[in-house]
Amino acid sequence: MPITLFRTGARHGAIDFIVAAIGCAMAGNAVAATVPLPYGCEMASKGKPAPASAVVAQPVFPPVQVQVRTPVQPTVLPSAGRNYLLYELHLQNFSAEAVTVHGIEVLDADQPASTPVAELKEAQVAASLRQVTIGDNPGNLQRLGVGQGAVAFLCLAFDAKAAVPARLRHRVLLDKAVADGPAIDTRTTPMLVLGRPLVGTNWTPGNNPSLHSHHRMGLWVVDGAAQISRRYAIDWKKLNGQRKPYAGDPRDVRAYYAYGQKVLAVADGKVVTARDGFPDNIPKTEAGFEAALPVTLDTIGGNQIIIDLGNGQFAAYYHLQPGSVGVKTGDRVRRGQLLARVGNSGDARWPHLHFQVTDKADVMASEGLPQLFDSYRIKSGDQKWDTRTGEYPMGDVVVDFGPDTADK
């Protein structure tokens, strides 16, 4: 069954919503995947009936005292011939002794007698586990001491023609026991189908979700809550035909192909934040990097625009060019409207547009939400251009948003 496309009645400006049904590929998009899997994503499959000889685990009392929790349940995300599920398992050891995580099994919650749809073995678990902070940490994170916790960052990929389970359940394999997690849904967030945020070609969706992305791994405790505002964020950088980001002096922001490029409203909505006046940074080089202003929660986004899209979703644009922000707080904008230009302000090493959709109008104290773009072309490596509709660009690809027809 294909995804069903609806338009809202209130129409916060021609925003389309995707309601995910079983089989989550847009019509015309169900083709064989040619883009390499992002690092840390595991191919999933349909669970098969367990063999008759399988040993059924008997309940134990008291239950294993390891918490398995998913704070933000995933939503099926279509991209270039696959459907992805991105989410986290928060593991915490409440038992009286240390435990070691040896594996994670992902099961179809509605087919309890089936084999797992995906299994993370020892090495995969080791790669996916992180502490509650940004980036990698030394030590054996698989071993959870008394009261200790870790987060497993999961990415499951399904062939576009394969049915994605409506609910998942997880078994965490420990030294001599199994910790079972509750069932989670896989169609949690109504996804917006957005217009293009930029114009032209040779854009790369940098730091899109993978275990190499500081966005995906950027779990921060802000206002007392551990959240990932940048879960689906993209750093849009522009390259030339040789995949180089600049020509000339690498310390000159104007040498970068992305610098000064038009930034567009992805939908009609109301501007809830518009900030200008932050200076550009000198781009990072081998000589080092120092931001023009100290990086704080107030300055991290630099010049920025945040648009209320309605229904509890916000589109955020960060690191904009000084003096280019053409809207103010309270303005209503229309899809395709010129908002600003790409800069290098805030916590930006090189000129790019940081774009994300979140559940609150806050750069870090929010949860990142999935989104789709209505139409664009992609190219991976030496392949030919491929038109995609109603998808999100996963992996190492180059994106063409089409010719510049935006306001001057």
Side-chain angles (χ1 to χ4, degrees), residues 53-104:
S53 59
V55 177
V56 178
Q58 297 300 316
V60 298
F61 186 86
V64 177
Q65 296 297 289
V66 173
Q67 178 177 258
V68 182
R69 187 172 64 90
T70 302
V72 179
Q73 298 183 3
T75 290
V76 179
L77 189 66
S79 181
R82 298 190 185 100
N83 289 307
Y84 291 87
L85 291 174
L86 296 159
Y87 60 103
E88 301 83 49
L89 295 182
H90 287 228
L91 310 177
Q92 188 163 5
N93 179 17
F94 286 100
S95 67
E97 59 184 24
V99 299
T100 300
V101 180
H102 294 288
I104 297 174

Side-chain angles (χ1 to χ4, degrees), residues 23 41 62 145 175 191 252 367:
C41 285
D175 305 278
M191 286 191 289
D252 181 0
E367 292 287 6

Side-chain angles (χ1 to χ4, degrees), residues 306-354:
I306 302 175
I307 300 173
D308 184 350
L309 304 175
N311 297 281
Q313 301 199 21
F314 299 83
Y317 306 77
Y318 297 124
H319 312 315
L320 302 172
Q321 182 184 37
S324 75
V325 176
V327 295
K328 61 183 183 299
T329 301
D331 283 354
R332 296 204 66 84
V333 297
R334 67 185 186 280
R335 175 173 165 142
Q337 178 178 334
L338 176 62
L339 299 176
R341 293 180 182 268
V342 177
N344 199 43
S345 59
D347 188 20
R349 272 72 172 161
W350 303 279
H352 70 277
L353 173 66
H354 177 108

Side-chain angles (χ1 to χ4, degrees), residues 8 41 47 65-66 89 93 130 142 144 147 165 174 200 202 210 279 320:
T8 60
C41 285
Q65 296 297 289
V66 173
L89 295 182
N93 179 17
R130 297 291 190 279
Q142 291 176 256
L144 304 181
L174 306 172
N202 288 339
S210 81
L320 302 172

